Amino acid sequence: MDVLRPPLIRIGGRVYRKNLIQEQAFPHEEEEDFYAVGPGECADEPSDAFVVEETERGFQCRVEVPSPLYKYIIGKKGETKKRLETETRTSISIPKPGVEGEIVITGQHRGGVISARTRMDVLLDSFRKKQPFTHFLSFALNQPDIQEKFLQFKEQVLEKCSKDHGVSSSLFQNPAKLHLTLGTLVLLNEQEIQKACDLLQQCKEDFVDQITGGQPLTVEVAGVEYMNDDPAMTDVLYAKVHMKDGSDRLQMVADQLVERFVASGLMLKEWDRVKLHATVMNTLFRKDPTEERNNTMTGKSSFKERESFNGQNILKLFENFYFGEVQLDSVRLSQRFSSDASGYYATSGQL
């Protein structure tokens, strides 16, 4: 290969150089027919993160991968898998689509197997981050008294502010699904759901009971605030939540739960602290009251479709609106796109 004139690869309307050290830029799209890694991500050094077994024919490494991610290893027409096998001199065995199992990497050289596994991990991590979240940690705020006050809030807002730009009944949260979200997760099979449930129970033993004293947390839901910088162009209006005794125990539980889930790899770190809020109005509800839209994964299409509302009068008139007092006695692993008998999200696990 001529270093000064490397071959050019056209992908997704862009042109990339294929350098001697196999450096490739990672485009943001064209997921199924391209994979790439950075210069420092494919070192052929042993890794403590996974086990490479020696066999009669060489070496092998087993990888637990949820079946929805198989397609990213296979690629369009199998090109990604073939390229990975060729460049690392390995063979990759993948279960049939929809069948949960292990991907097995085999090769005559330990370094090749390690390189293939490392590249696969980078590839899977990238595409996992693009998946829409499937579950979230939540505190339910759908107690009857809170729902009743919320409906009063909705009625009064529509009575006093319906002439304000963008304000309509379609903006309001379903009262049965009022909640606090602590963090979102992408759990793609039963094993990952069970792992999250087990971790939730471990958190209870490690620190939750110590912080709460094993008792429910009494919180007050009062006042409203908006997410963005301009109240005249509001997309999300939320109710504020605070401990009745003025302590920061709820914040401590939320922050430490998220920290533990991030450390486990089940959750991505988004903020330094959890923003405790209960969404009461959201422009995403305008066209889909369930907020379960397929294009909310990236936010791109949704953002363009959102029609902001003028929340200035709402903020003035309902700045201190009192929604009520709640006993928070469990953190739930809630399932998106679901409802239980009460109308709240179905629960996969809780502490």
Side-chain angles (χ1 to χ4, degrees):
M1 179 189 297
D2 187 343
V3 176
L4 297 179
R5 294 183 178 179
L8 301 180
I9 304 175
R10 295 182 180 275
I11 301 173
R14 301 177 182 177
V15 179
Y16 298 92
R17 292 174 296 181
K18 185 173 182 181
N19 294 327
L20 186 61
I21 59 172
Q22 297 181 343
E23 243 183 80
Q24 298 177 350
F26 204 134
H28 295 294
E29 300 182 350
E30 301 297 325
E31 300 177 346
E32 296 186 350
D33 55 358
F34 178 77
Y35 86 96
V37 290
E41 294 168 332
C42 289
D44 291 341
E45 295 297 326
S47 171
D48 295 333
F50 49 82
V51 176
V52 176
E53 303 171 322
E54 187 169 3
T55 67
E56 295 181 356
R57 297 184 178 182
F59 299 87
Q60 75 173 17
C61 181
R62 297 178 176 274
V63 193
E64 290 188 4
V65 179
S67 58
L69 297 181
Y70 292 167
K71 62 182 180 180
Y72 300 116
I73 300 299
I74 298 171
K76 188 175 183 179
K77 297 181 180 179
E79 291 177 1
T80 299
K81 177 175 176 289
K82 292 176 184 176
R83 188 184 306 117
L84 188 56
E85 290 175 322
T86 299
E87 294 182 357
T88 61
R89 296 182 180 180
T90 59
S91 176
I92 300 173
S93 175
I94 301 175
K96 294 180 180 180
V99 177
E100 296 296 337
E102 294 178 319
I103 292 179
V104 181
I105 306 169
T106 57
Q108 294 185 351
H109 302 285
R110 181 183 180 88
V113 172
I114 291 173
S115 179
R117 170 63 191 267
T118 305
R119 295 185 188 204
M120 188 179 297
D121 285 347
V122 173
L123 179 65
L124 292 172
D125 182 65
S126 173
F127 289 123
R128 177 180 282 274
K129 290 176 181 178
K130 295 182 180 182
Q131 303 300 307
F133 75 88
T134 59
H135 295 74
F136 57 100
L137 296 182
S138 74
F139 282 109
L141 297 177
N142 65 342
Q143 291 77 357
D145 291 347
I146 298 292
Q147 289 196 47
E148 183 179 348
K149 292 293 290 185
F150 170 78
L151 291 173
Q152 291 177 18
F153 167 78
K154 177 180 178 179
E155 181 181 353
Q156 293 177 29
V157 168
L158 293 175
E159 179 184 334
K160 299 176 181 179
C161 305
S162 60
K163 293 184 179 180
D164 294 344
H165 175 74
V167 175
S168 71
S169 61
S170 63
L171 295 175
F172 291 85
Q173 173 67 283
N174 178 347
K177 293 195 170 183
L178 288 167
H179 66 277
L180 295 178
T181 297
L182 306 186
T184 59
L185 306 94
V186 176
L187 306 176
L188 300 177
N189 59 21
E190 290 300 322
Q191 290 85 350
E192 293 188 347
I193 293 173
Q194 187 59 51
K195 181 179 178 181
C197 291
D198 293 344
L199 181 58
L200 203 53
Q201 292 304 316
Q202 190 63 49
C203 289
K204 174 180 170 63
E205 298 173 11
D206 290 350
F207 60 85
V208 174
D209 282 347
Q210 181 179 355
I211 294 173
T212 65
Q215 300 296 318
L217 297 176
T218 303
V219 304
E220 290 183 319
V221 184
V224 294
E225 190 57 85
Y226 62 103
M227 284 289 189
N228 53 306
D229 297 327
D230 185 1
M233 297 290 288
T234 300
D235 281 318
V236 176
L237 192 79
Y238 63 90
K240 294 182 285 187
V241 180
H242 62 270
M243 286 290 298
K244 187 176 181 180
D245 63 9
S247 71
D248 62 350
R249 289 185 296 158
L250 177 60
Q251 187 71 56
M252 289 173 62
V253 170
D255 289 342
Q256 290 190 36
L257 278 171
V258 169
E259 182 179 343
R260 184 65 66 87
F261 271 77
V262 169
S264 74
L266 290 171
M267 186 180 292
L268 295 177
K269 185 176 179 64
E270 296 184 78
W271 316 103
D272 292 333
R273 301 184 74 201
V274 175
K275 186 175 182 64
L276 297 172
H277 68 284
T279 298
V280 293
M281 298 174 69
N282 190 331
T283 54
L284 286 180
F285 300 155
R286 194 186 299 280
K287 291 187 177 181
D288 184 355
T290 65
E291 197 193 8
E292 306 297 3
R293 306 172 60 162
N294 293 331
N295 58 11
T296 56
M297 172 174 61
T298 62
K300 295 177 182 178
S301 299
S302 297
F303 183 80
K304 292 178 181 178
E305 294 175 6
R306 296 176 83 156
E307 178 191 348
S308 300
F309 65 94
N310 187 342
Q312 290 175 306
N313 286 331
I314 299 175
L315 290 163
K316 290 178 183 177
L317 295 171
F318 301 94
E319 180 181 6
N320 299 310
F321 187 90
Y322 188 72
F323 291 91
E325 181 179 302
V326 187
Q327 301 283 325
L328 300 181
D329 57 3
S330 67
V331 179
R332 308 187 189 196
L333 178 62
S334 299
Q335 183 181 339
R336 199 180 180 193
F337 306 104
S338 70
S339 295
D340 62 15
S342 72
Y344 193 69
Y345 299 94
T347 300
S348 298
Q350 65 183 39
L351 62 79

